[in-house]
């Protein structure tokens, strides 16, 4: 439907009758970011100095193992997933090898992870689909990735970013919390927060933005008690929970040692 057609149809629906006023539609108020464009640029500029090359914390050796690792990370910690997958990926780093291993043995490898039975079933199912439908290659589009069992929008966004270098916004629990706590991109659902963040994050910082926000939420703006005295954006932050207005020294943090393994 073209824009002109939409306009015509809207005019027909709201056509004024003699002696009557045009109907008035009041759109529901949508929470907006409290930050100006200059403030947003400064926030992500500081994150870029603090962590010039941020990485995801899930260990993987190729796009396939990344898909599996991210799918396993739902309702589990990255550290817990890494502990389980180090041994798994040594014996099954392709869909064919995972299928040969079988669901029961996959369960044995990942039994320390929450919901391991259902996750093992999904790992085998997604491996089978990759073989049958995608010639054993991990697809490069979100629409195809979310077709895989156990793969949702967040997982797809992580894979597109980390495996294929696409700028995406993978909204996990940390980003959902940070976006609302900081009044950066308020939203009730991950999809709402993702949409708003993609709109407000400056283009030059979008590629790394989700990693910066995840790491900031995990190690500084913690869920139970934010460590505002260690925050490099404390002076800009508009969170009502903020306890400090003085930003921490802006220095580069030590290089991360996790992520893709050789």
């Amino acid at each position: 439907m073209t824009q002109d057609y939409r306009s015509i149809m809207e005019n027909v629906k709201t056509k004024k009758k003699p002696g009557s006023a045009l109907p008035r539609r009041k759109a529901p108020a949508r929470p907006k970011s409290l930050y100006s464009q200059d403030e947003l640029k400064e926030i992500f500029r500081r994150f870029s100095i603090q962590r010039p090359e941020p990485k995801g914390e899930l260990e993987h050796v190729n796009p396939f193992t990344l898909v599996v690792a991210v799918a396993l990370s739902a309702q589990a910690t990255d550290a817990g997933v890494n502990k389980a997958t180090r041994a798994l990926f040594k014996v099954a780093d392709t869909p064919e090898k995972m299928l040969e291993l079988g669901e029961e043995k996959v369960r044995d490898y990942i039994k320390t992870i929450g919901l391991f039975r259902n996750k093992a079933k999904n790992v085998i199912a997604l491996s089978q689909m990759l073989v049958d439908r995608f010639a054993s290659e991990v697809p490069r589009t979100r629409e195809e990735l979310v077709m895989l069992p156990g793969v949702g929008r967040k997982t797809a966004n992580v894979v597109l970013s980390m495996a294929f270098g696409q700028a995406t916004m993978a909204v996990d629990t940390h980003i959902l919390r940070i976006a609302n706590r900081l009044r950066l991109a308020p939203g009730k659902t991950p999809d709402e927060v993702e949409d708003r963040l993609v709109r407000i994050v400056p283009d030059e910082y979008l590629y790394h933005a989700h990693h910066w926000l995840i790491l900031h939420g995990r190690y500084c703006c913690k869920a139970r008690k934010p460590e505002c005295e260690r925050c490099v954006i404390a002076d800009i932050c508009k969170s009502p929970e903020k306890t400090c207005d003085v930003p921490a020294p802006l220095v580069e943090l030590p290089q991360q040692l996790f992520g893709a393994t050789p």
Side-chain angles (χ1 to χ4, degrees):
M1 184 184 294
T2 66
Q3 182 61 43
D4 288 342
Y5 181 70
R6 282 198 295 267
S7 300
I8 292 170
M9 293 303 295
E10 185 64 18
N11 290 335
V12 169
K13 292 178 183 178
T14 60
K15 187 175 180 180
K16 184 178 179 180
K17 296 180 180 179
S20 65
L22 285 172
R24 302 180 69 177
R25 297 179 180 181
K26 187 175 181 181
R30 296 181 63 188
K32 295 181 179 180
S33 175
L34 297 184
Y35 300 82
S36 68
Q37 283 299 309
D38 287 342
E39 288 173 327
L40 290 167
K41 285 185 178 181
E42 181 61 14
I43 287 172
F44 288 99
R45 184 192 72 83
R46 294 185 192 181
F47 285 159
S48 72
I49 293 174
Q50 188 180 44
R51 291 188 172 94
E53 292 294 332
K55 301 179 185 299
E57 296 186 320
L58 287 171
E59 297 173 2
H60 58 284
V61 297
N62 56 33
F64 169 69
T65 54
L66 177 61
V67 171
V68 172
V70 182
L72 293 177
S73 71
Q75 299 183 46
T77 65
D78 288 357
V81 172
N82 289 340
K83 185 176 180 181
T85 57
R86 284 184 192 121
L88 174 63
F89 293 158
K90 286 181 180 178
V91 297
D93 59 355
T94 68
E96 290 84 358
K97 291 179 182 178
M98 197 67 75
L99 290 172
E100 185 177 347
L101 194 60
E103 183 178 332
E104 185 175 348
K105 289 185 179 178
V106 171
R107 280 203 309 265
D108 290 339
Y109 278 102
I110 67 171
K111 60 186 178 183
T112 57
I113 302 175
L115 307 176
F116 70 93
R117 289 184 177 85
N118 191 56
K119 289 178 180 180
K121 184 181 298 183
N122 283 336
V123 168
I124 293 300
L126 74 83
S127 298
Q128 190 68 62
M129 181 176 284
L130 286 173
V131 171
D132 294 344
R133 188 158 186 167
F134 298 105
S136 299
E137 295 290 329
V138 174
R140 293 172 176 256
T141 69
R142 184 183 293 108
E143 293 73 20
E144 291 175 316
L145 281 167
V146 297
M147 292 169 58
L148 300 173
V151 175
R153 186 178 180 88
K154 189 212 81 171
T155 298
N157 281 339
V158 172
V159 173
L160 291 174
S161 172
M162 294 178 63
F164 304 125
Q166 298 184 31
T168 63
M169 182 60 65
V171 177
D172 69 350
T173 54
H174 291 294
I175 293 185
L176 185 64
R177 173 172 52 80
I178 289 293
N180 281 284
R181 173 188 273 173
L182 273 57
R183 305 296 192 265
L184 187 65
K188 294 181 179 180
T189 67
D191 285 356
E192 286 182 2
V193 170
E194 176 188 342
D195 179 64
R196 289 169 186 171
L197 283 172
V198 168
R199 292 172 185 270
I200 68 170
V201 174
D203 290 344
E204 63 267 34
Y205 297 119
L206 184 58
Y207 177 66
H208 286 313
H210 79 281
H211 279 140
W212 285 324
L213 292 171
I214 288 170
L215 296 171
H216 185 66
R218 185 173 291 167
Y219 296 115
C220 182
C221 198
K222 298 178 180 179
R224 293 186 178 180
K225 185 179 179 181
E227 299 180 4
C228 300
E229 69 280 359
R230 297 180 53 238
C231 179
V232 296
I233 62 168
D235 56 326
I236 307 175
C237 176
K238 301 183 188 299
S239 171
E241 300 177 46
K242 184 171 69 172
T243 60
C244 175
D245 287 320
V246 180
L250 187 57
V251 296
E252 183 176 341
L253 297 177
Q255 181 66 40
Q256 294 169 268
L257 300 178
F258 30 70
T261 55

